[in-house]
Amino acid sequence: MRIGVIGTGRIGAIHANTLSRHRDVGSLILTDVDPARAQELARRLGETAAPGVDEIFRWGVDAVVITTATAAHAELIGRAARSGLPVFCEKPIALDLPGTLNAIGEVEAAGTVLQMGFQRRFDTGYRGAREAVLSGRLGRLHTVRALTSDRSAPPPAWLPLSGGLYRDTLIHDFDALRWVTGREVVDVYAAGSDAGPAMFREAGDVDTGAALLTLDDGTLATATATRLNGAGYDVRMELAGELDQIVVGLDDRTPIASTEPTGPPAADKPWTGFLERFGPAYEAELAAFVEVVTGLRANPCDGREALQALRIAEACEISRRERRAVALAEIPGRAESAFR
């Protein structure tokens, strides 16, 4: 199997390294807006660098992995679909709903595959939480608390391109919430704070955000995020039911300290970022993509699933700006079941 990797930045390099080692992947063709970066990565991996995207399609590949800047995702997804190629794409499909719906439409019209990179679906902890909900271990689920906290702020120049805290960061929590619980979000109320560095205000973004979400079975969920968690990278999900309570992301590297005399000690080596925390999950999602391409399994996270997470993020942005509750029915796009 020959796979084209479009984008060789931080996550693209990691994905290329994973695919280069996969027993069912014969070769890679790498390209990037910075040709020298693609050439250097290709040299290190013993793969081929292409001058540009055109060569990826002209030279012939069996599948495409897209890890470019978000603004290029939708166009590349459409091009791959028209070429009859299966695609793995980092989230999101696009930064707006029209672009997302158009790209999904192209994939569905072509009858091709689009697998989205929501790596938490492949994390051991989140998979265990989903299994606990499905098995009935928790009883009736009444409360879910999700959080994502980055240790340090991203580069200022990147913020205007990110889509904002809800679309860029909390979208992972929204997808995990649907996938773990198997329920749909009915309405949201969101707020944000830009009281941190001025670069967030200048970008029209917030450095910290929170949302209260009501699920279609009455379960209440909260989702919070910040770019400024100096203690370390912290991603957790707590699920409380009438019979039991569980937590994802609580281990000896969780960057949190107890004030109780008999509480656990602070982590010696707290998580530093998402690439370290979710390393095995990133490998697992690409292994799944190879299986999808070879027909060994169904698509574990298609474009419609990504659309629903974006709809929740869109509702949160409207809620934050207009300071009101927003029903998901106000946001275009039909909901699909999270249980597959």
Side-chain angles (χ1 to χ4, degrees):
M1 180 188 306
R2 193 183 204 190
I3 296 180
V5 179
I6 306 175
T8 57
R10 182 170 55 170
I11 191 65
I14 288 175
H15 285 344
N17 183 65
T18 297
L19 290 168
S20 185
R21 293 183 284 106
H22 196 288
R23 65 181 183 275
D24 293 327
V25 177
S27 63
L28 303 178
I29 303 177
L30 313 177
T31 193
D32 193 271
V33 291
D34 180 353
R37 183 163 65 179
Q39 289 167 6
E40 173 58 22
L41 179 60
R43 184 194 63 78
R44 293 204 315 267
L45 298 179
E47 303 290 355
T48 301
V53 172
D54 289 344
E55 285 76 13
I56 291 282
F57 292 97
R58 191 163 62 242
W59 292 356
V61 293
D62 300 300
V64 173
V65 171
I66 299 171
T67 59
T68 61
T70 298
H73 287 184
E75 179 184 352
L76 290 170
I77 289 169
R79 185 168 182 179
R82 294 189 297 273
S83 299
L85 294 172
V87 175
F88 175 94
C89 184
E90 279 298 323
K91 63 80 191 169
I93 294 174
L95 291 177
D96 58 19
L97 285 167
T100 299
L101 290 166
N102 183 67
I104 291 172
E106 291 221 53
V107 171
E108 293 179 348
T112 54
V113 169
L114 169 60
Q115 180 182 328
M116 295 303 300
F118 283 104
Q119 85 283 354
R120 295 187 193 181
R121 294 182 177 222
F122 296 87
D123 176 70
T124 301
Y126 282 95
R127 293 179 72 87
R130 175 178 163 96
E131 291 166 6
V133 172
L134 280 170
S135 70
R137 169 183 162 186
L138 306 184
R140 184 187 69 85
L141 191 65
H142 53 72
T143 308
V144 182
R145 308 175 191 91
L147 67 89
T148 296
S149 300
D150 291 326
R151 186 174 69 167
S152 56
W158 181 81
L159 283 175
L161 309 175
S162 71
L165 189 66
Y166 292 99
R167 298 187 191 95
D168 177 58
T169 299
L170 276 166
I171 196 168
H172 280 289
D173 296 275
F174 300 150
D175 179 70
L177 177 63
R178 293 183 64 247
W179 186 71
V180 169
T181 66
R183 312 305 309 190
E184 299 296 344
V185 173
V186 174
D187 57 49
V188 307
Y189 190 90
S193 170
D194 62 3
M199 64 181 186
F200 292 98
R201 292 185 292 280
E202 292 166 357
D205 198 5
V206 294
D207 58 72
T208 303
L212 172 64
L213 310 100
T214 304
L215 307 189
D216 58 11
D217 64 347
T219 300
L220 295 180
T222 59
T224 64
T226 184
R227 303 283 198 187
L228 304 167
N229 197 57
Y233 181 72
D234 191 8
V235 171
R236 280 176 281 140
M237 175 181 277
E238 300 174 5
L239 299 102
E242 292 182 345
L243 300 180
D244 203 355
Q245 182 171 233
I246 57 175
V247 59
V248 178
L250 181 61
D251 58 22
D252 60 0
R253 300 193 64 183
T254 304
I256 190 168
S258 173
T259 59
E260 300 296 336
T262 59
D268 289 334
K269 296 180 179 180
W271 297 109
T272 59
F274 62 91
L275 294 177
E276 182 185 33
R277 165 66 177 84
F278 290 110
Y282 281 116
E283 292 198 10
E285 69 177 358
L286 284 176
F289 178 61
V290 172
E291 291 182 344
V292 170
V293 174
T294 55
L296 295 178
R297 68 175 295 173
N299 189 348
C301 185
D302 64 19
R304 291 282 170 182
E305 293 287 285
L307 169 63
Q308 302 317 320
L310 179 61
R311 291 179 68 239
I312 299 169
E314 289 288 324
C316 286
E317 278 291 352
I318 294 171
S319 177
R320 178 181 73 86
R321 290 196 308 268
E322 300 183 4
R323 294 179 177 272
R324 67 177 178 90
V326 175
L328 263 290
E330 298 179 43
I331 311 300
R334 181 172 58 87
E336 298 284 347
S337 172
F339 278 108
R340 295 190 169 185

